[in-house]
């Protein structure tokens, strides 16, 4: 098989547990790009965080940001989707107010927060972006007047608390928005029907790529639709059990240059 597109999740997949890009992984993707294969960075991260990794890779990539709601090819946006306007208010009350944690609010290239904690301080370092502190209800009112809505919302907390929030939001979410964990401590909330798998299909449609000629790497629930949609879905050795179960192949972990190991196998074959 001649592959034309490689889609790579960032945290827990492309980067190791120290948030570092291992030299073997970088070289393997550069080699693939030299073969004419397009690389897509497909992440829950906001654009500045994805662009930072693109620069470190030294490869011009398609950038799928905000859990698939905002897709960039170069500087051009080729896909943008938004939550219904009422979701911001409801999730703020059910998550931020009830659990007394900041709500993360994303729209295109912007990031807003309703407070600050250690999760946010760490993320600022990872994505090189300073979020704007806002009153969520006031922001919702302003966006109502401007005809705007968020791309994505996010709750960050200890794993047990995240699972409690996940369970409690399920009834509210039904038919109105989708959710998935991108890590044990992150619950992502995004428009109905949006997924990394849908983003992969959007790229293929835009560039006339047969989906069977794609490879996708991931490790967590948010990556599952992409793993299932790709011609070859590859789970990292550190992936959650469900991703491993659905994948075509399980490679080594993100700390063991798993992407490089798998690409050596598939591209050589």
């Amino acid at each position: 098989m001649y592959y034309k597109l490689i889609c790579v999740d960032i945290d827990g997949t492309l980067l190791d547990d120290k948030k570092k890009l291992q030299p073997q992984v970088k070289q393997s993707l550069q080699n693939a790009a030299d073969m004419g294969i397009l690389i897509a960075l497909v992440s829950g991260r906001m654009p500045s965080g994805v662009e930072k990794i693109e620069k470190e890779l030294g490869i011009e990539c398609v950038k799928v940001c905000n859990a698939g709601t905002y897709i960039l090819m170069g500087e051009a946006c080729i896909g943008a989707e938004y939550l219904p306007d009422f979701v911001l208010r409801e999730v703020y009350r059910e998550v931020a107010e009830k659990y007394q944690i900041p709500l993360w609010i994303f729209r295109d290239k912007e990031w807003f927060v309703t407070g600050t904690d250690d999760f946010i301080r760490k993320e600022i370092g990872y994505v090189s972006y300073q979020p704007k502190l806002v009153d969520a209800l006031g922001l919702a009112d302003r966006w109502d007047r401007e005809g705007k809505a968020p791309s994505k919302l996010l709750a960050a907390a200890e794993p047990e608390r995240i699972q409690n929030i996940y369970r409690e939001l399920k009834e509210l979410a039904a038919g109105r928005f989708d959710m998935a964990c991108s890590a044990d401590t992150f619950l992502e909330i995004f428009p109905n029907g949006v997924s990394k798998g849908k983003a992969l299909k959007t790229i293929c449609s835009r560039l006339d790529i047969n989906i069977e000629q794609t490879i996708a790497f991931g490790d967590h629930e948010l990556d599952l639709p992409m793993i299932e949609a790709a011609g070859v879905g590859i789970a990292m050795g550190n992936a959650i059990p469900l991703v491993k179960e659905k994948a075509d192949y399980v490679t080594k972990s993100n700390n063991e240059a798993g992407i490089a190991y798998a690409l050596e196998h598939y591209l050589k074959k």
Side-chain angles (χ1 to χ4, degrees):
M1 173 68 73
Y2 177 69
Y3 296 102
K4 292 187 176 181
L5 174 66
I6 297 172
C7 294
V8 185
D9 169 55
I10 293 178
D11 298 289
T13 299
L14 179 64
L15 304 183
D16 64 20
D17 287 347
K18 295 180 180 178
K19 302 292 184 180
K20 299 295 183 182
L21 177 61
Q22 296 184 347
Q24 310 98 296
V25 174
K26 179 177 180 177
Q27 188 62 58
S28 70
L29 289 172
Q30 287 179 337
N31 290 344
D34 288 343
M35 295 168 64
I37 301 173
L38 181 66
I39 309 300
L41 300 175
V42 187
S43 178
R45 288 189 179 204
M46 65 177 298
S48 67
V50 179
E51 288 163 357
K52 180 179 179 179
I53 302 303
E54 179 187 43
K55 185 175 180 180
E56 190 174 353
L57 269 175
I59 303 167
E60 187 172 355
C61 303
V62 177
K63 296 172 286 291
V64 178
C65 315
N66 293 339
T69 63
Y70 194 65
I71 307 173
L72 293 167
M73 191 173 294
E75 290 300 313
C77 174
I78 65 167
E81 300 197 51
Y82 304 95
L83 285 157
D85 53 12
F86 61 83
V87 172
L88 173 53
R89 291 184 179 86
E90 294 192 10
V91 171
Y92 174 72
R93 293 186 179 108
E94 291 298 320
V95 175
E97 287 189 342
K98 183 173 182 178
Y99 285 89
Q100 292 298 293
I101 59 174
L103 183 64
W104 304 20
I105 306 163
F106 297 89
R107 178 179 168 81
D108 299 344
K109 293 188 174 186
E110 295 184 289
W111 177 23
F112 307 88
V113 294
T114 61
T116 301
D117 61 9
D118 286 343
F119 291 105
I120 289 170
R121 283 186 280 271
K122 286 181 182 178
E123 189 71 10
I124 290 169
Y126 297 149
V127 303
S128 300
Y129 186 96
Q130 184 69 42
K132 299 171 187 173
L133 185 63
V134 296
D135 170 68
L137 301 181
L139 180 64
D141 289 342
R142 175 162 66 84
W143 279 353
D144 281 349
R145 293 192 297 271
E146 296 172 354
K148 295 180 179 179
S151 306
K152 183 188 82 167
L153 306 175
L154 186 147
E158 300 76 18
E160 184 176 351
R161 181 177 276 192
I162 286 294
Q163 288 306 310
N164 288 339
I165 294 170
Y166 202 159
R167 284 192 293 269
E168 290 184 14
L169 280 184
K170 273 188 175 178
E171 185 174 341
L172 180 64
R176 307 165 93 197
F177 57 87
D178 284 343
M179 303 183 295
C181 287
S182 55
D184 292 345
T185 52
F186 285 167
L187 177 61
E188 315 249 358
I189 297 162
F190 42 87
N192 238 0
V194 171
S195 72
K196 290 186 176 186
K198 183 178 179 181
L200 185 155
K201 293 173 184 176
T202 297
I203 297 168
C204 288
S205 175
R206 182 76 178 227
L207 299 177
D208 196 24
I209 294 172
N210 185 331
I211 203 163
E212 292 302 317
Q213 294 177 294
T214 66
I215 298 174
F217 290 88
D219 73 303
H220 223 285
E221 181 188 14
L222 193 63
D223 304 313
L224 192 56
M226 179 173 71
I227 294 294
E228 293 182 303
V232 177
I234 300 177
M236 304 303 292
N238 52 289
I240 62 171
L242 183 58
V243 172
K244 289 181 177 179
E245 177 187 326
K246 299 293 184 179
D248 300 298
Y249 181 77
V250 179
T251 187
K252 294 183 178 182
S253 76
N254 62 324
N255 292 323
E256 301 170 295
I259 288 176
Y261 180 82
L263 289 182
E264 182 180 0
H265 172 75
Y266 275 93
L267 298 188
K268 184 179 291 185
K269 185 172 69 171

